[in-house]
Amino acid sequence: MSGWDDLYPLPVLPSWLPGTAVAIVSLHLIQKLFFPYFWADLRYLLKVLTYGLRVEMYRLQGRIVTILDKFVKLAEKQPHKPFLIYEGKVHTYRDVDRRSNRIAQVFLHHGALKKSDTVALLMSNEPDFIHVWFGLAKLGCVVAFLNFNVRSRSLLHCVSSCEPKILVVGADLLGTLEEILPNLQKDLSVWIMTKDSTFPSVHTLLDKIEAASEDPVPVNRRSANNLKSSVLYIFTSGTTGLPKAAVISHMQVLKGAAGLWAFGATAEDIIYITLPLYHSAASLLGIGGCIELGATCVLKKKFSASQFWSDCKKYNVTVIQYIGELCRYLCSQPVKEGEKNHKVRLAVGNGVRNDVWREFLGRFGPVKICEFYGATEGNICFMNHTGKIGSVGRTNFFYKLFFPFDLIKYNFQKDEPIRNKQGWCEKVKKDDSSERKLMSHQEEMEKTGNSSGRIVLCLYGHFACRDDYMNCKVVEIGEAGLLISKVNAKNPFFGYAGNKRHTEKKLLCEVFKKGDLYFNTGDLMVQDHENFLYFWDRTGDTFRWKGENVATTEVSDVIVMLDFIQEVNVYGVSVPDHEGKAGMASLILKQNTSLDLEQMYKQVVTYLPSYACPLFLRVQKKMEMTGTFKQQKLRLVDEGFNPSTITDPLYFLDNSKKAYVLLTKEVYELILFGKMKL
């Protein structure tokens, strides 16, 4: 053996190798133990930086590339690829480009539109929504997306606030137009998506589109000089009052369009959009995201829970968009065979509750839920790139470096941030412990009154979150605080059209030091010891129901028009197993009058969107006020709609009977057990 060793000596490992191996293994263990999300954070951060650098490179080269520019390039590069699929009909990139050219030609020759003029668009989900949007954008117009659920006075307010030169109305919304037509500004030109019209002084669009040229309009009409210039107005109820026209810049459109790409979608994906196109989620993230990827979109007129999965199978959908309510509706459908037999791999959206999240995954298969947070008009966004159930996203040192934000202490009674003796706002405490524990339902209820310490991990005001063993899960997280985001050159806030006061109200000045400026999101968030963020609730006079923001002042203004109503206090109350808060109105009747439930029902369904109609009514003798003469809502919210504990008369909006009915203990129990459709 010694001879063989002499002939073929065994190689001797370098002395430094074992030590290096031990060090690498140790570093890996340390990373796994103390920095478990390091690589996921790094990948996400690199994606964000890559996209930002790409936009910056275009700028340095003197090129301003908008989402419309990208679409036109794709129409040249992949003309025959399907861009839209609607009710079985395929619209290729070239088809959409050419039809939008026709619309641009119509308004170029008949509309007398100048670059940067505003055009309001009142249309439901259909290909022509996108054709009109792109056609007007090719003329350099700012397009205002109107919410087709909004009616009467609120709709008139929306139209006047964005000061459009033209209003374009879809063929299926002529009834809505008829309501507001007599009260529209006389100099507003109205166009309808039909070939003929019975309305006086209203122009038809469909006949002119068919006769128009497909030639593109001059490129200089759409060219942008600055990514910060306005391109859209998207209406949001914000935190108070009537809907406001959020100014959307080219930069915001590009950021929104990058969302699907950031979550891992590719050009081969087929995206299913059932959300209304007037929402930024559908228009920017959905349609814009398809353009960013060069992918295909399946557009649905209206969300249908019963047709959802059959559509996904029929069109080989791989990416879906959602709001929390949408996922719950899908989970509420009767179980069918083969529910996991689909190709959906990503679900992108916001507002899904923990228990619905788990049920959705268990029932419909290994779909990656991509939860995010972002306000339409905001300058901050979070993306849950790790898949942590319940979280809207995660932050770290580097993210805060590029997108500075803070959670500050908030006075719920005064409905304003807390300031110390020096006049500065204070940051909330973030819990650094890693304790986890399970508690009984009774223990959970004892904790829900606190906004800090041990609080039940949940979203949108719901506290009944459970683990896989159906136990209530409680986590050690920080104090709930108001999310504010620093306004600077890289993260601007563009405000609202037509109302400087509303823009100023969304800004907080002198927050931590003299001269600083922050955007007030109006949202309360909490942050856990691992830097995951969770949505907590909304501040101000707004609550969320069926995926929509409901402004209490708008609802109050409609109800107080009734001649037997003296005063109204509108607020949101939690309903078990439902996202958001259902509308409830406390009423004070005028002397010598009685509550006319029939008239009340007719009033709210006529003048309010369905999601804004109060589900519950409470008749009081005296309205409670705060020390600053504001309506007291907190106690009313806490008391909810339980007839066993409330002595005031209570009523419930029974949609099956199309009427308000007395809220009895029996009806209350049906609601609690989910046997009454809301």
Side-chain angles (χ1 to χ4, degrees):
M1 288 296 294
S2 61
W4 280 105
D5 290 341
D6 292 338
L7 287 171
Y8 301 101
L10 293 171
V12 179
L13 293 174
S15 58
W16 52 267
L17 193 58
T20 304
V22 170
I24 291 172
V25 171
S26 300
L27 284 172
H28 177 71
L29 291 173
I30 290 170
Q31 181 261 310
K32 284 286 185 183
L33 188 61
F34 296 105
F35 308 101
Y37 303 102
F38 175 80
W39 295 111
D41 286 347
L42 184 62
R43 281 193 299 271
Y44 172 64
L45 194 61
L46 287 174
K47 272 202 163 188
V48 172
L49 291 175
T50 300
Y51 193 80
L53 287 171
R54 193 193 311 164
V55 174
E56 186 65 16
M57 285 297 291
Y58 285 145
R59 189 187 68 81
L60 293 174
Q61 293 169 10
R63 296 165 58 199
I64 303 296
V65 180
T66 66
I67 204 70
L68 183 63
D69 294 328
K70 292 184 177 187
F71 171 77
V72 172
K73 285 290 183 187
L74 285 168
E76 296 171 359
K77 182 182 175 183
Q78 50 185 40
H80 304 297
K81 181 171 182 175
F83 176 55
L84 291 175
I85 301 174
Y86 179 76
E87 295 182 350
K89 185 178 178 182
V90 174
H91 303 258
T92 66
Y93 275 81
R94 176 184 283 174
D95 293 337
V96 174
D97 185 44
R98 287 181 174 178
R99 188 164 176 85
S100 63
N101 284 344
R102 285 175 179 266
I103 291 167
Q105 292 286 359
V106 170
F107 286 115
L108 185 65
H109 294 101
H110 299 278
L113 287 171
K114 301 190 298 293
K115 192 172 181 177
S116 77
D117 279 348
T118 300
V119 178
L121 185 57
L122 181 64
M123 295 180 72
S124 54
N125 281 19
E126 58 176 299
D128 272 341
F129 182 111
I130 296 159
H131 297 143
V132 175
W133 167 17
F134 288 6
L136 292 166
K138 287 178 177 181
L139 294 176
C141 294
V142 178
V143 183
F145 294 163
L146 298 175
N147 181 339
F148 55 75
N149 288 302
V150 172
R151 306 275 294 277
S152 191
R153 190 177 73 88
S154 296
L155 183 55
L156 284 168
H157 161 79
C158 293
V159 174
S160 62
S161 66
C162 60
E163 300 180 343
K165 296 289 178 69
I166 288 176
L167 170 64
V168 181
V169 182
D172 57 339
L173 292 169
L174 298 184
T176 303
L177 173 63
E178 190 174 9
E179 291 177 7
I180 64 169
L181 193 57
N183 298 307
L184 290 172
Q185 303 99 307
K186 301 304 177 188
D187 59 343
L188 178 63
S189 177
V190 180
W191 292 66
I192 56 177
M193 193 60 72
T194 61
K195 291 184 178 180
D196 47 62
S197 169
T198 57
F199 299 111
S201 305
V202 171
H203 306 278
T204 55
L205 186 54
L206 211 53
D207 54 326
K208 296 176 180 64
I209 292 172
E210 291 178 0
S213 166
E214 291 181 345
D215 295 337
V217 296
V219 177
N220 66 320
R221 283 298 300 255
R222 75 165 191 262
S223 59
N225 299 320
N226 193 323
L227 283 179
K228 293 182 181 180
S229 58
S230 304
V231 64
L232 294 172
Y233 295 145
I234 297 181
F235 283 85
T236 171
S237 58
T239 54
T240 56
L242 290 164
K244 298 183 283 290
V247 178
I248 308 297
S249 67
H250 287 289
M251 180 193 295
Q252 286 167 293
V253 174
L254 287 169
K255 286 181 178 178
L260 295 180
W261 169 80
F263 275 125
T266 69
E268 285 69 48
D269 278 309
I270 297 174
I271 294 99
Y272 187 37
I273 300 176
T274 63
L275 305 178
L277 288 170
Y278 63 73
H279 269 186
S280 57
S283 53
L284 305 190
L285 183 70
I287 299 298
C290 281
I291 295 170
E292 181 64 38
L293 297 166
T296 298
C297 160
V298 176
L299 182 66
K300 186 78 172 175
K301 181 82 171 178
K302 188 179 180 182
F303 168 73
S304 168
S306 61
Q307 297 172 15
F308 190 90
W309 291 112
S310 58
D311 280 348
C312 288
K313 293 173 187 177
K314 180 179 178 181
Y315 298 111
N316 294 315
V317 170
T318 56
V319 179
I320 62 174
Q321 282 191 277
Y322 71 87
I323 55 173
E325 282 289 299
L326 188 149
C327 293
R328 187 178 66 80
Y329 292 151
L330 293 176
C331 290
S332 298
Q333 287 291 296
V335 177
K336 294 179 182 177
E337 219 175 303
E339 286 183 327
K340 295 182 180 180
N341 298 334
H342 56 76
K343 296 182 179 178
V344 176
R345 64 185 189 89
L346 297 177
V348 182
N350 51 34
V352 65
R353 218 170 57 217
N354 293 24
D355 55 337
V356 174
W357 190 324
R358 288 188 173 90
E359 185 181 353
F360 187 91
L361 294 178
R363 181 167 167 181
F364 301 115
V367 179
K368 182 182 178 184
I369 304 289
C370 304
E371 181 84 359
F372 70 90
Y373 167 85
T376 300
E377 72 275 42
N379 66 341
I380 187 73
C381 174
F382 300 116
M383 299 177 78
N384 185 346
H385 56 277
T386 63
K388 174 98 169 189
I389 292 179
S391 171
V392 299
R394 191 177 125 76
T395 185
N396 54 52
F397 171 80
F398 296 103
Y399 190 82
K400 288 196 74 170
L401 205 61
F402 292 102
F403 308 100
F405 73 91
D406 278 292
L407 302 180
I408 60 173
K409 294 183 178 181
Y410 195 78
N411 187 318
F412 296 92
Q413 295 287 344
K414 294 183 178 179
D415 200 22
E416 64 185 22
I418 294 172
R419 292 185 180 263
N420 60 24
K421 291 178 181 178
Q422 290 74 40
W424 308 121
C425 293
E426 295 185 341
K427 299 177 185 180
V428 298
K429 295 174 183 176
K430 190 194 82 169
D431 189 89
D432 292 317
S433 85
S434 58
E435 180 184 350
R436 292 288 184 275
K437 58 166 63 179
L438 296 175
M439 300 181 69
S440 69
H441 184 69
Q442 180 61 38
E443 287 175 311
E444 172 206 328
M445 290 297 105
E446 292 171 1
K447 300 295 181 183
T448 57
N450 299 327
S451 64
S452 62
R454 290 190 183 115
I455 52 180
V456 182
L457 174 58
C458 57
L459 295 180
Y460 300 98
H462 289 269
F463 298 95
C465 298
R466 302 180 183 278
D467 65 10
D468 296 333
Y469 301 99
M470 294 305 292
N471 293 308
C472 294
K473 187 174 184 180
V474 175
V475 239
E476 291 283 350
I477 54 180
E479 183 181 357
L482 176 67
L483 173 65
I484 59 172
S485 175
K486 194 164 190 177
V487 177
N488 53 33
K490 294 292 182 186
N491 302 290
F493 169 58
F494 296 97
Y496 305 103
N499 200 314
K500 188 179 178 182
R501 184 174 62 86
H502 281 150
T503 299
E504 290 172 348
K505 278 182 71 176
K506 289 296 287 184
L507 294 171
L508 290 175
C509 307
E510 318 284 309
V511 178
F512 301 118
K513 62 182 180 180
K514 197 170 183 179
D516 65 6
L517 189 65
Y518 282 79
F519 170 69
N520 177 0
T521 65
D523 292 326
L524 297 167
M525 310 276 278
V526 290
Q527 185 173 341
D528 71 9
H529 73 287
E530 292 181 319
N531 290 324
F532 282 100
L533 292 150
Y534 304 88
F535 183 91
W536 184 257
D537 210 345
R538 296 187 67 83
T539 63
D541 294 324
T542 298
F543 56 89
R544 198 168 180 84
W545 181 245
K546 295 191 180 297
E548 298 278 358
N549 291 333
V550 181
T552 58
T553 50
E554 181 182 353
V555 181
S556 297
D557 288 346
V558 167
I559 296 175
V560 84
M561 290 164 63
L562 293 165
D563 57 11
F564 53 86
I565 297 294
Q566 176 70 42
E567 197 173 353
V568 186
N569 187 358
V570 178
Y571 49 96
V573 292
S574 296
V575 182
D577 297 321
H578 287 75
E579 276 82 14
K581 293 183 177 180
M584 188 164 183
S586 171
L587 311 174
I588 304 295
L589 303 179
K590 290 181 179 177
Q591 277 190 327
N592 303 318
T593 64
S594 59
L595 178 62
D596 187 337
L597 292 173
E598 185 178 345
Q599 191 64 29
M600 173 67 73
Y601 175 83
K602 185 178 177 182
Q603 179 79 357
V604 297
V605 298
T606 301
Y607 295 106
L608 290 171
S610 58
Y611 58 80
C613 296
L615 281 184
F616 306 103
L617 302 177
R618 176 175 179 173
V619 182
Q620 293 189 290
K621 292 181 180 178
K622 183 181 178 183
M623 190 70 70
E624 289 190 39
M625 308 295 283
T626 67
T628 53
F629 302 101
K630 293 180 181 178
Q631 290 179 338
Q632 177 61 265
K633 296 179 187 283
L634 286 175
R635 188 180 65 80
L636 294 172
V637 171
D638 289 340
E639 289 176 353
F641 57 98
N642 188 348
S644 298
T645 57
I646 298 171
T647 56
D648 297 325
L650 298 173
Y651 301 91
F652 166 66
L653 178 56
D654 189 335
N655 286 308
S656 64
K657 296 180 179 178
K658 295 187 177 180
Y660 280 103
V661 298
L662 189 67
L663 179 57
T664 62
K665 292 179 182 178
E666 291 77 17
V667 173
Y668 177 75
E669 287 177 1
L670 288 174
I671 295 170
L672 288 190
F673 291 107
K675 294 181 179 179
M676 184 74 76
K677 188 175 180 181
L678 303 185

